Amino acid sequence: MTGHGTVFSVDVDDREAQAYLREMMRRMDHRRGFYEGVRETLHVRTQDSFRAETAPDGTPWAPLKPATIRARERQGHTPITILRRNKSTASLAGSINFDATDDRVSGHTTTVYGGVHQTGATIQIPARSGKVYSHYDPAKSEQDWRFTTKKKATLERDVQIPAHAITIPARPYLGVSKADEDYIVDLATDWIGLE
């Protein structure tokens, strides 16, 4: 046997592979289409959080206080929902918008209290003086000590209201769960065209 080997020559037609790589690079330079998919996902997931009254990870929101429930019932906001008032024109859920660019998705709300509900807050109320109004029914010789409006009141009292704090629990409605992360990775894979 001699030391002469056979020389092989292989021609590779890589035009299809190069076209695929060029398209992938173009998509990476213009990512808005991908981020629009993420925007839609976040919008749907956020609305799901409001309907289920849970954080994006499925943790239930803190329940409303009984006094809040009673006040909403008096105002006709039934059924009682957390972070949504029925028969109200202003809605936190309806105020959330997501914008997509080539670089990111950003979300915002047009309400001033959206951040407070997302993260929770403690509001310090300073001591102050004020007036309370009640009604005396002379026909029954009865004092109704429930508060009423100034217009309906027959008695007015000066009161001192001590300093106190109001704590609003966090009820996160924005965020990305593990399932959302997996879905976004699948979106990216589909968008780049790897599958």
Side-chain angles (χ1 to χ4, degrees), residues 109-135:
T109 174
T110 55
T111 65
V112 296
Y113 54 86
V116 168
H117 289 301
Q118 175 75 15
T119 60
T122 298
I123 302 166
Q124 300 295 331
I125 308 294
R128 65 193 189 283
S129 60
K131 296 189 180 297
V132 292
Y133 304 98
S134 57
H135 180 73

Side-chain angles (χ1 to χ4, degrees), residues 76-190:
H77 296 288
T78 55
I80 306 301
T81 57
I82 302 172
L83 295 190
R84 290 183 297 157
R85 288 186 178 199
N86 300 309
K87 300 181 183 178
S88 175
T89 56
S91 165
L92 177 58
S95 75
I96 299 166
N97 295 299
F98 294 95
D99 298 315
T101 67
D102 274 342
D103 299 315
R104 71 173 136 283
V105 173
S106 58
H108 64 278
T109 174
T110 55
T111 65
V112 296
Y113 54 86
V116 168
H117 289 301
Q118 175 75 15
T119 60
T122 298
I123 302 166
Q124 300 295 331
I125 308 294
R128 65 193 189 283
S129 60
K131 296 189 180 297
V132 292
Y133 304 98
S134 57
H135 180 73
Y136 177 76
D137 184 348
K140 295 181 180 178
S141 295
E142 265 180 20
Q143 175 65 46
D144 183 351
W145 292 107
R146 291 177 295 181
F147 299 134
T148 188
T149 63
K150 183 176 182 178
K151 186 176 180 179
K152 294 179 181 177
T154 55
L155 294 173
E156 174 183 301
R157 290 180 293 149
D158 292 319
V159 294
Q160 294 299 315
I161 303 164
H164 60 284
I166 298 172
T167 300
I168 300 171
R171 294 182 176 108
Y173 51 88
L174 293 175
V176 179
S177 69
K178 175 65 172 109
D180 295 336
E181 288 176 7
D182 294 343
Y183 184 75
I184 290 169
V185 168
D186 289 344
L187 276 178
T189 302
D190 290 345

Side-chain angles (χ1 to χ4, degrees), residues 57-72:
D57 67 1
T59 305
W61 287 342
L64 294 173
K65 292 182 179 177
T68 302
I69 293 171
R70 286 191 303 272
R72 288 193 183 176

Side-chain angles (χ1 to χ4, degrees), residues 22-37 100-104 188 191-192:
R22 279 193 299 276
E23 174 60 15
M24 188 183 296
M25 294 302 291
R26 186 194 68 75
R27 286 179 178 238
M28 293 304 294
D29 286 340
H30 304 284
R31 298 178 299 273
R32 185 182 195 120
F34 163 68
Y35 284 118
E36 285 176 351
T101 67
D102 274 342
D103 299 315
R104 71 173 136 283
W191 182 76
I192 291 173

